[in-house]
Amino acid sequence: MSKKYDIGLGHNDVTLRKKADSDYVSFWDEQAQNLSWFSPWEKILDWNPPFAKWFVGGKINASYNALDIHQATKSDKPAILWEGENGDSKTYTYGDLFIEVQKFSNVLKSLGVQKGDRVTIYLPMVPELLIAMLACARIGAIHNVVFSGFSAASIKDRIDDSKSKIVITSDGGYRRGKIVKLKKIIDDAIKDFEFVKHVIVLERTKNEITISSKDKFWSDLMANVSSSCDAEKLDSTHPLYILYTSGTTGKPKGVLHETGGYLTHLHSTFQWAFDIKDSDVFFCTADIGWVTGHSYVVYAPLLHGATQVMYEGAPDFPDMSRMWDILQKYDVSIFYTTPTALRMFMKFGDDIPNSFDLSSLRLLGTVGEPINPEVWKWYYKIIGKEKCPIIDTWWQTETGGMMISPLPGLETIPLKPGSGTLPIPGVKISVVDEFGTEVPPNIKGYLTIQNPWPGMLQTLWEDDEKYKTVYWSKYPNCYYAGDYALKDEDGYYWILGRADDVLKIAGHRIGTAELESCIVGDDTVAESAVCGIPDEIKGDVIIAFVVLKDGIDIDKIVLEKKLFEKIRNDIGAIATPKQIYFVPKLPKTRSGKIMRRLLKSIGSGELIGDTSTLDDVSAVTEIQNIVKQQS
Ligand code: WTA
């Protein structure tokens, strides 16, 4: 094994792994004691497959662990160093956040929000987003944050499914210098929803908005409210949040995370992976609208009383130097970003990062998609100057926190570019074949998780059956992650992409079924199939194949534009295909299943392989010709 990347931060705690391997349940019991509990649990784990309850009987509060516990020692320490896309900046200390969160908790209470109620939050990356989430957590309301790039139709589904009484939004948000009118999107989304009682509007961009009887301004509500609100003593299993994510079935699924187990997972992984110290400045570039933002912008750094940078806008705005400028300006020591962002930076060359002082960096991380070894090496050399370990962290919305990652805060192991290395202690991963049998080293198989873990989702919102079928039906009592992986001869894991119909575009999850049903929703379209093809920057981009209804005669350019528009309106810009191909028929098996694998090969100009199960081989030649003509 190459020792080239064998850099560590001086930690080598072998006892922890030993403990975790011998008894993962009591291992997590010890880890949970790092948090502040109002009362201890009676049972560490209640495992009634596939439902796990962690720290049963224990009472805890996420907001209390993020804020109250730091007041005696860190009330003047910056928690958030916020930078707006337009150059605005603001610092919130732990003391400031504590006051703002208590005030906003009282606002929510005054509007009738009670324990267990759902609150949808649709805000740009501003500190008030984090304040609103912590206020929900403080009073036991369940937050449902929706990424501010999603469209009215997407947010409508999420508000409806969660039956949120309250929606929190802003007049607008900045993105690449333009204003995205979020309030208008909410107006469209909730117009038929009687159950939404109030809309709280934060003024960020001061663009004109329409005001209705449900609307209340954030600043008015906060003006005359008490700044004292005790944190509710909640059950460890009390739901903390719903986060909708795309899956293999049509509509996004409401992943439900509970409190005690989730916080334990985050507290431990943040320490092990990032080796967090009081003097660090942490910067995770994820939007809070995604799970990385929930776990490693909001909860984990605050549990540790860390200082972090929060950035509002696009990483390449106004130009490619923005990220490096932020790292230099705030003396960032730990930087956590995506392979897509790194591929983009790398494309613009070394001179831009080289012209900044990045010497404060000591640890680098990536998340969300596989990282190409050459990009890893660039990150290591040009950004980390060959002195920072890189942690390639594999996990999912459903896992709550990191599951496979190098852990420089715990141990020193050789790194391999492109591999997430080993599972975290207390988590048992296995790569298996179709029948659930573990495959030998270096053979591709399906990634599974063999034991329950504290950060795991509790269920899907109001859909236990779907929870069982999606994650626990392929293999008995074992979690199916939906990813291909292999374990090499050193026991290191390599993630090889999705094994199901979920696309990862620039690190974002998009369900093929969701996108196809949107396209088929147009009255000219009979059938559609979408797939991902490799892209230099985004990892994958989407291409769509569309069969029109009989007798439809329409200008293809006009229709393509119309379909792009529909996708942007129904889902959001992130789901827009690179290209739509209008084809006479789709390649199907004799049993009628669309062969997406073939479409993917055709779209990426590869050999198409075995077509023996195809119903009609002529479909393939026709599609190949169309793709050639249009590409
Ligand atoms: C992919 C993001 C390779 C994977 C935290 C997973 C990765 C899906 C990595 C979850 C990584 C995440 N290497 N692939 N380090 N991290 N993935 O729910 O396909 O948005 O199943 O959570 O992202 O995406 P999600």
Side-chain angles (χ1 to χ4, degrees):
M1 190 193 300
S2 151
K3 293 275 175 197
K4 199 169 159 202
Y5 304 107
D6 188 2
I7 51 170
L9 299 173
H11 298 278
N12 224 342
D13 184 353
V14 282
T15 52
L16 209 80
R17 277 209 184 266
K18 270 199 195 133
K19 229 181 268 170
D21 289 346
S22 72
D23 180 357
Y24 76 93
V25 178
S26 31
F27 169 77
W28 285 119
D29 178 60
E30 263 181 38
Q31 294 298 314
Q33 292 171 30
N34 293 324
L35 299 170
S36 293
W37 296 79
F38 298 118
S39 45
W41 48 98
E42 284 134 27
K43 195 167 185 194
I44 309 165
L45 171 65
D46 176 358
W47 179 221
N48 178 18
F51 297 96
K53 292 191 176 123
W54 286 90
F55 314 117
V56 185
K59 299 273 184 195
I60 191 164
N61 185 291
S63 165
Y64 184 89
N65 274 274
L67 300 172
D68 304 40
I69 61 160
H70 306 307
Q71 295 311 311
T73 51
K74 293 185 178 174
S75 74
D76 291 335
K77 181 179 175 180
I80 307 288
L81 304 167
W82 178 76
E83 166 133 332
E85 193 188 73
N86 61 354
D88 292 352
S89 64
K90 206 166 174 181
T91 298
Y92 282 81
T93 63
Y94 274 90
D96 297 335
L97 270 190
F98 189 45
I99 292 172
E100 295 301 304
V101 168
Q102 291 186 83
K103 282 172 74 177
F104 200 67
S105 302
N106 284 328
V107 164
L108 291 176
K109 278 187 178 172
S110 73
L111 295 177
V113 180
Q114 292 176 355
K115 192 163 121 181
D117 284 347
R118 277 78 59 206
V119 173
T120 293
I121 309 177
Y122 187 61
L123 283 172
M125 280 289 281
V126 289
E128 287 83 354
L129 167 52
L130 186 141
I131 291 167
M133 292 164 78
L134 292 170
C136 288
R138 195 160 188 87
I139 63 171
I142 305 170
H143 56 72
N144 169 35
V145 177
V146 181
F147 170 57
S148 61
F150 277 133
S151 66
S154 289
I155 182 153
K156 184 175 175 186
D157 284 346
R158 288 154 167 85
I159 295 173
D160 193 19
D161 194 67
S162 63
K163 291 285 177 296
S164 297
K165 261 191 194 172
I166 305 262
V167 175
I168 304 169
T169 190
S170 63
D171 44 5
Y174 291 107
R175 190 77 187 170
R176 291 211 164 78
K178 295 206 183 89
I179 292 176
V180 185
K181 295 181 178 165
L182 300 180
K183 169 68 167 60
K184 186 171 180 320
I185 296 174
I186 291 294
D187 290 343
D188 292 344
I190 65 159
K191 58 178 184 286
D192 304 325
F193 294 158
E194 277 288 307
F195 60 83
V196 174
K197 299 295 178 210
H198 305 282
V199 176
I200 301 178
V201 186
L202 176 81
E203 287 172 288
R204 166 73 189 118
T205 46
K206 304 271 163 72
N207 52 294
E208 211 176 300
I209 53 172
T210 316
I211 314 254
S212 84
S213 59
K214 290 185 181 179
D215 300 337
K216 311 206 159 36
F217 284 102
W218 177 290
S219 50
D220 293 345
L221 293 167
M222 291 287 264
N224 289 312
V225 73
S226 151
S227 57
S228 155
C229 174
D230 282 346
E232 283 282 324
K233 298 182 171 66
L234 301 169
D235 286 335
S236 170
T237 54
H238 185 76
L240 180 60
Y241 66 81
I242 306 173
L243 180 57
Y244 286 87
T245 187
S246 297
T248 47
T249 49
K251 294 226 162 178
K253 307 169 299 204
V255 168
L256 187 70
H257 280 293
E258 43 94 270
T259 312
Y262 175 74
L263 296 182
T264 301
H265 195 128
L266 295 188
H267 189 276
S268 298
T269 51
F270 198 67
Q271 185 66 53
W272 301 331
F274 292 118
D275 183 40
I276 194 75
K277 299 202 180 352
D278 203 34
S279 52
D280 276 316
V281 179
F282 177 75
F283 179 26
C284 167
T285 62
D287 192 290
I288 290 176
W290 308 104
V291 75
T292 306
H294 278 61
S295 295
Y296 296 104
V297 176
V298 181
Y299 289 107
L302 297 183
L303 293 179
H304 283 271
T307 295
Q308 70 173 315
V309 174
M310 177 177 177
Y311 171 59
E312 179 185 37
D316 54 351
F317 189 85
D319 58 44
M320 280 297 156
S321 67
R322 187 65 186 260
M323 285 298 105
W324 319 129
D325 186 46
I326 292 178
L327 296 185
Q328 175 180 277
K329 179 170 167 191
Y330 295 98
D331 282 330
V332 171
S333 57
I334 306 174
F335 183 52
Y336 191 33
T337 192
T338 60
T340 289
L342 293 170
R343 284 189 289 261
M344 181 177 75
F345 298 138
M346 185 175 155
K347 195 176 158 204
F348 282 83
D350 305 352
D351 289 351
I352 304 175
N354 280 343
S355 63
F356 288 85
D357 176 8
L358 305 179
S359 58
S360 54
L361 285 171
R362 67 179 192 93
L363 205 160
L364 303 171
T366 77
V367 60
E369 35 171 344
I371 181 162
N372 337 37
E374 64 277 17
V375 178
W376 193 104
K377 289 176 191 160
W378 180 83
Y379 196 22
Y380 183 76
K381 188 164 170 217
I382 303 300
I383 308 305
K385 314 290 183 214
E386 301 186 339
K387 66 178 175 64
C388 306
I390 296 183
I391 57 166
D392 173 0
T393 64
W394 176 86
W395 56 293
Q396 307 181 300
T397 305
E398 293 85 343
T399 68
M402 296 168 189
M403 299 295 274
I404 299 177
S405 175
L407 302 172
L410 178 69
E411 60 199 6
T412 301
I413 57 164
L415 301 172
K416 295 189 194 183
S419 166
T421 73
L422 307 174
I424 63 161
V427 159
K428 189 160 188 283
I429 305 271
S430 185
V431 179
V432 302
D433 65 15
E434 206 53 58
F435 309 101
T437 310
E438 194 163 16
V439 296
N442 294 316
I443 302 290
K444 176 173 168 179
Y446 299 101
L447 195 152
T448 63
I449 305 166
Q450 302 284 321
N451 294 326
W453 65 98
M456 81 187 247
L457 73 168
Q458 208 168 35
T459 186
L460 293 175
W461 179 248
E462 296 199 317
D463 205 343
D464 286 350
E465 280 315 305
K466 197 161 166 192
Y467 166 71
K468 287 186 204 165
T469 14
V470 174
Y471 307 106
W472 302 93
S473 63
K474 192 168 165 82
Y475 306 110
N477 295 346
C478 163
Y479 175 90
Y480 172 67
D483 277 319
Y484 285 123
L486 66 76
K487 185 165 138 175
D488 70 14
E489 61 288 351
D490 296 315
Y492 280 30
Y493 288 87
W494 299 76
I495 309 297
L496 306 173
R498 296 293 305 188
D500 57 9
D501 290 334
V502 170
L503 304 171
K504 267 264 151 171
I505 309 297
H508 298 141
R509 258 165 92 155
I510 295 160
T512 46
E514 192 185 349
L515 185 50
E516 285 165 5
S517 77
C518 160
I519 297 174
V520 172
D522 187 271
D523 51 13
T524 61
V525 176
E527 269 189 306
S528 167
V530 302
C531 59
I533 58 166
D535 179 78
E536 203 194 331
I537 305 277
K538 295 183 171 178
D540 266 344
V541 285
I542 304 171
I543 53 169
F545 295 85
V546 168
V547 181
L548 296 181
K549 283 182 181 156
D550 272 352
I552 297 281
D553 183 19
I554 183 169
D555 184 313
K556 300 287 165 27
I557 295 172
V558 174
L559 181 56
E560 187 179 56
K561 245 179 123 179
K562 187 174 160 222
L563 291 175
F564 282 157
E565 183 81 14
K566 182 164 173 18
I567 293 163
R568 274 195 283 268
N569 286 336
D570 289 2
I571 306 176
I574 56 166
T576 315
K578 185 179 177 201
Q579 178 109 45
I580 296 179
Y581 297 109
F582 295 96
V583 296
K585 59 174 104 153
L586 296 173
K588 292 187 184 163
T589 62
R590 276 177 217 115
S591 56
K593 265 186 87 175
I594 297 170
M595 291 183 76
R596 288 201 187 76
R597 171 184 66 74
L598 266 183
L599 291 171
K600 194 178 168 82
S601 305
I602 297 173
S604 35
E606 289 167 1
L607 291 175
I608 56 172
D610 181 18
T611 55
S612 57
T613 54
L614 258 186
D615 180 37
D616 177 2
V617 185
S618 72
V620 173
T621 331
E622 280 181 71
I623 298 171
Q624 275 176 319
N625 288 337
I626 290 167
V627 170
K628 250 186 229 145
Q629 275 165 23
Q630 285 190 32
S631 297

